Amino acid sequence: MFRLSRIVTLTALLVSVAATANPALEQAVNNPLRSAEFSQRDQYRNPVATLSFFEVTPQSTVVEISPGAGWYTEILAPLLAAEGKYYAAHFPATATGFGQRSRAAFLEKLAANPAYSKVEVTEFAPTPGISIAPAGSADVVLTFRNLHNWYMAGGEEAMLTAFSHFYTALKPGGVLGVVEHRLPEAQLETDWTRTGYMPQSLTITLAEQAGFVFDSSSEINANPKDTADHPSGVWTLPPSLRLGEQDKEKYLAIGESDRMTLKFRKPLN
């Protein structure tokens, strides 16, 4: 009976996985635009499963917050080119220092390939007065490993401001997808504020304060090997490996950080 039960359970799981497989997302992830360096990180970022969980389709209007060097741009741009819309909300044009260099490199990347011609670059900062997309236009807003930067720069107020921008851009019923380095709840009493890890409980609380409804979470991007207590915070782990050769093999064996994957919705009314 036990063995039969296991077979039935495994069969149901396989049917469920097959039913939720998304050929369009798989094609976008395997497209020739993607660099080998970026593709190597799929094992940690799980783009097909992650975008499926966030309900991204080829017809979606998607806003990606702080796309950086364009890791997800290489997937989202071709996915959305024909029937959808992709807003890349990068550093403001008035940014200086790293922000200025990062935005310039991103724009250069887009200009170098006509496949990116439909990407619309907007601006984002966790401050008032920013428009990441026309109000009420987005089906999905995505943010990948950005929350800690806003928290480190401006605490809960900055995060609430960011969430308010996302809320404004989304259609009623639209999805906010959050992936972030996850601090174990048992470490809330430690000095975690500069480690790059964020508490999942605080993330949910602040999103709800901004008006969102928490929909669900996923362990797609979990890494149980990550203890989140490393000497140089999350940057101890790959790909940063901030300690250089010191204990490098140890941190490579851990892999990239443990990440929360959270889905929120803007209420219908």
Side-chain angles (χ1 to χ4, degrees), residues 20 22 24-26 28-29 45-58 60 62-64 71-77 79-80 86 140-144 175 177 179 220-221 261 263:
T20 57
N22 192 318
L25 285 176
E26 292 173 356
V29 167
R45 297 189 172 185
N46 306 295
V48 172
T50 299
L51 294 176
S52 294
F53 179 67
F54 292 147
E55 303 177 22
V56 175
T57 73
S60 298
V62 177
V63 184
E64 184 188 1
W71 197 93
Y72 262 104
T73 302
E74 292 186 355
I75 298 170
L76 291 170
L79 176 70
L80 302 170
Y86 173 45
V140 184
V141 172
L142 300 172
T143 173
F144 299 103
V175 169
V179 176
I220 295 165
N221 298 300
T261 303
K263 180 163 61 176

Side-chain angles (χ1 to χ4, degrees), residues 19-104:
T20 57
N22 192 318
L25 285 176
E26 292 173 356
Q27 184 177 357
V29 167
N30 293 319
N31 83 80
L33 280 178
R34 298 194 68 204
S35 66
E37 179 185 2
F38 285 178
S39 297
Q40 288 172 1
R41 301 182 70 185
D42 287 358
Q43 61 180 310
Y44 302 114
R45 297 189 172 185
N46 306 295
V48 172
T50 299
L51 294 176
S52 294
F53 179 67
F54 292 147
E55 303 177 22
V56 175
T57 73
Q59 296 77 35
S60 298
T61 294
V62 177
V63 184
E64 184 188 1
I65 306 301
S66 300
W71 197 93
Y72 262 104
T73 302
E74 292 186 355
I75 298 170
L76 291 170
L79 176 70
L80 302 170
E83 302 176 81
K85 179 71 178 179
Y86 173 45
Y87 292 97
H90 217 289
F91 284 106
T94 56
T96 58
F98 172 78
Q100 181 185 53
R101 295 190 298 273
S102 180
R103 180 182 173 92

Side-chain angles (χ1 to χ4, degrees), residues 126-203:
T127 56
I130 292 288
S131 176
I132 60 175
S137 67
D139 297 297
V140 184
V141 172
L142 300 172
T143 173
F144 299 103
R145 303 167 314 282
N146 293 312
L147 303 189
H148 62 282
N149 292 318
W150 310 332
Y151 190 87
M152 289 163 67
E156 294 183 12
E157 182 178 352
M159 288 183 63
L160 282 169
T161 300
F163 284 133
S164 71
H165 291 319
F166 310 158
Y167 192 93
T168 297
L170 281 166
K171 300 174 181 177
V175 169
L176 167 61
V178 175
V179 176
E180 179 58 272
H181 312 295
R182 176 167 51 189
L183 181 80
E185 297 294 319
Q187 295 180 31
L188 288 176
E189 301 305 316
T190 66
D191 183 16
W192 56 268
T193 57
R194 310 298 294 180
T195 65
Y197 290 92
M198 288 293 299
Q200 182 165 312
S201 57
L202 177 61
T203 301

Side-chain angles (χ1 to χ4, degrees), residues 54 56 95 118 131 209 225 245:
F54 292 147
V56 175
K118 293 187 177 181
S131 176
Q209 286 181 20
K225 296 179 182 178
E245 294 301 315

